[in-house]
Amino acid sequence: MTKAANSGSWLEVLQTKDLSLIFTARVAMSISRAIAGIAVPIYLATLGFNGFELGILYLTVALVAAGMSSGIGFATNKVGAKSFMIIVPALVAVAGVVYAFSSDTAVLFIFAALASFGRGAGAGAGMVGPYQPAESQLIVNSINPSNRNRAFSLVSLASTAGALIGTGLAAISGHQHVARAVAIAVFRPSMLIAAVAALIASVIAMFLSNHPSQASHPAEHKQAKVFAFPERSRWLLYRLWVTNTLNGAAVGMFGPFVTYWLYIRYHANEVSIGELYLVVNIITLGSGLIAPKLAHRFGTVRITSWLRIAQGLLLIPLALSPTFVIAGIIYTIRMFAQRVALPLRQSYVLAMADPSEQARVAALSNLPSQIVMAASPTLTGYLLDDVSLSLPFEIASIIQTASAFAYYLFFRNAAPPEEVARREAALADDIVVPEDENPTTQ
């Protein structure tokens, strides 16, 4: 390994001012997401929402989130990422307060959309909201490129740590099955805690630097249009649209429904589900930290593809699990694979995009998947209500596995710069290493 490839310890990376603030804000935001991820579906089910109605809600949430994410991605270079790191968590805080005191369907729909309640999956770590393109650019701009995988892995660790705390709080503040008449009072503490955590994330973000984009052509930065298409990263974006659309269709089939599925399939209550997610987050807490080592050993594209295949295949035994405990074990294994792969996927996209187009690529690469993900829950709600509790997971398994093979075929010859540099240095030193990916020339 070259010195450059190994520069900076984990602690040194985390001591970077902006990255430490992003890390802390991510912990707080993941606490909020984890609590809402458990409380909101069960609260809505208690109010009388069935699977199809939840699907319509998640459709609304996903469409609004897609629009917000794309807008943020385009505007980040002009406005700066910091603003969105403040505003979006503040919206989530307001929505948490609204959910703590309202049972009006229209109001719940509006604020679920603004706060992206229902977006993401299960145990809560990972996606923090539509400002993620802005956050990703801040991460890249705050560290040395050789530490990019470590930085994204640390932020992934922050997500898991926050989700661990959030699911623990949900388990403590949760309740057994409750009557509709007292639902608001019962779920109010959970939603208020979620609101406070989101507000803390917003306040922390106020201390971030407002980095400009690291344009590869600085003279063009001031002339850049807010809604300019990322031409230099076109090759990357088109491929990501294919793989992310497939993956989004799969995730949309099961992700927003994990809590609801456990509630319906095994009659699990908020406490039981919170305890399961707590165990998942404890076991997967350090999963992101092994991601850079796996990427170094096997190559980012190869290990990411393998892990996504594992995620897809594990959905079938999960869907067919006869008991809550067995389902929980399989779900935990799957979440471990997902959390190892997540920072590598995010890091790879930013590494391969043109520096002046990173936020736009991060946003646009997920746009088709968000649209497909928006439509999938409606079908899933119908299937869960009228066909089968396992069929949505089985369909998702096939689609997600296909997305993994497509990802490998598209990017197997497109290694990130640090892997190319490491291989070239090894060859120059006449060191024999396993064959790794070669970069494509665009």
Side-chain angles (χ1 to χ4, degrees):
M1 186 190 330
T2 66
K3 182 177 180 180
N6 195 36
S7 62
S9 67
W10 289 99
L11 184 59
E12 289 171 342
V13 174
L14 189 56
Q15 285 176 340
T16 305
K17 178 198 168 188
D18 279 347
L19 190 63
S20 65
L21 290 172
I22 293 170
F23 181 94
T24 309
R26 177 66 84 96
V27 171
M29 198 61 190
S30 293
I31 291 173
S32 178
R33 291 294 184 199
I35 295 172
I38 296 172
V40 169
I42 297 178
Y43 173 54
L44 296 176
T46 302
L47 292 179
F49 280 59
N50 59 32
F52 181 75
E53 289 168 335
L54 282 176
I56 296 297
L57 174 66
Y58 295 152
L59 167 64
T60 305
V61 169
L63 289 175
V64 173
M68 291 176 66
S69 179
S70 298
I72 290 171
F74 276 110
T76 292
N77 283 355
K78 286 290 185 181
V79 179
K82 177 179 176 179
S83 300
F84 301 112
M85 295 280 290
I86 298 170
I87 295 170
V88 177
L91 285 174
V92 176
V94 173
V97 174
V98 170
Y99 263 68
F101 293 97
S102 177
S103 61
D104 182 84
T105 300
V107 172
L108 295 178
F109 261 75
I110 291 170
F111 282 92
L114 291 175
S116 298
F117 287 159
R119 186 167 181 256
M127 301 297 290
V128 291
Y131 67 85
Q132 194 148 7
E135 182 193 64
S136 294
Q137 181 165 300
L138 275 174
I139 293 171
V140 170
N141 290 350
S142 67
I143 49 92
N144 186 297
S146 63
N147 287 321
R148 191 188 61 258
N149 279 347
R150 283 181 173 178
F152 277 91
S153 294
L154 282 169
V155 174
S156 178
L157 172 63
S159 283
T160 307
L164 172 60
I165 298 170
T167 50
L169 291 172
I172 293 171
S173 61
H175 298 269
Q176 306 294 331
H177 294 285
V178 297
R180 177 174 181 172
V182 295
I184 294 179
V186 168
F187 287 95
R188 182 173 295 148
S190 296
M191 296 312 301
L192 288 177
I193 295 171
V196 170
L199 182 61
I200 291 172
S202 179
V203 172
I204 291 171
M206 294 179 182
F207 298 94
L208 287 165
S209 304
N210 208 17
H211 291 287
S213 66
Q214 297 177 344
S216 58
H217 300 271
E220 299 177 11
H221 178 68
K222 293 183 179 180
Q223 301 176 359
K225 297 179 181 179
V226 173
F227 295 103
F229 187 82
E231 293 289 344
R232 298 187 186 95
S233 306
R234 179 189 295 270
W235 71 273
L236 173 68
L237 192 57
Y238 288 166
R239 299 180 192 189
L240 288 171
W241 277 349
V242 175
T243 60
N244 288 350
T245 298
L246 288 171
N247 194 56
V251 173
M253 289 291 292
F254 72 90
F257 286 93
V258 172
T259 298
Y260 178 77
W261 180 75
L262 293 170
Y263 176 75
I264 297 297
R265 173 73 171 81
Y266 303 105
H267 306 289
N269 53 55
E270 186 182 2
V271 175
S272 299
I273 296 171
E275 289 171 347
L276 169 61
Y277 292 170
L278 180 65
V279 172
V280 169
N281 289 318
I282 290 173
I283 292 175
T284 63
L285 182 60
S287 58
L289 298 182
I290 70 173
K293 293 182 179 179
L294 290 174
H296 176 75
R297 175 66 182 85
F298 300 105
T300 299
V301 172
R302 188 177 294 118
I303 192 62
T304 300
S305 302
W306 289 351
L307 290 169
R308 184 173 287 184
I309 289 172
Q311 293 171 60
L313 294 179
L314 284 169
L315 284 174
I316 292 179
L318 173 63
L320 301 177
S321 298
T323 67
F324 180 76
V325 173
I326 294 175
I329 293 171
I330 296 172
Y331 181 68
T332 302
I333 297 171
R334 186 184 181 280
M335 288 302 297
F336 192 93
Q338 187 266 342
R339 290 178 179 176
V340 174
L342 179 63
L344 296 181
R345 293 201 314 269
Q346 294 173 336
S347 175
Y348 180 78
V349 172
L350 274 293
M352 304 305 288
D354 184 273
S356 65
E357 300 173 340
Q358 288 169 335
R360 281 175 285 166
V361 170
L364 287 178
S365 64
N366 288 315
L367 181 59
S369 69
Q370 289 172 328
I371 294 174
V372 175
M373 200 181 300
S376 298
T378 307
L379 173 61
T380 299
Y382 163 73
L383 294 175
L384 290 176
D385 285 342
D386 299 320
V387 181
S388 168
L389 289 175
S390 62
L391 185 58
F393 289 72
E394 294 163 354
I395 295 173
S397 173
I398 296 171
I399 298 173
Q400 188 164 54
T401 303
S403 79
F405 282 106
Y407 186 91
Y408 180 73
L409 290 173
F410 282 151
F411 298 114
R412 68 188 188 280
N413 294 320
E418 70 276 7
E419 292 181 16
V420 176
R422 186 173 67 245
R423 186 182 182 212
E424 290 176 347
L427 290 173
D429 293 338
D430 197 28
I431 298 176
V432 178
V433 296
E435 183 176 350
D436 213 338
E437 294 97 347
N438 296 314
T440 54
T441 54
Q442 307 302 331

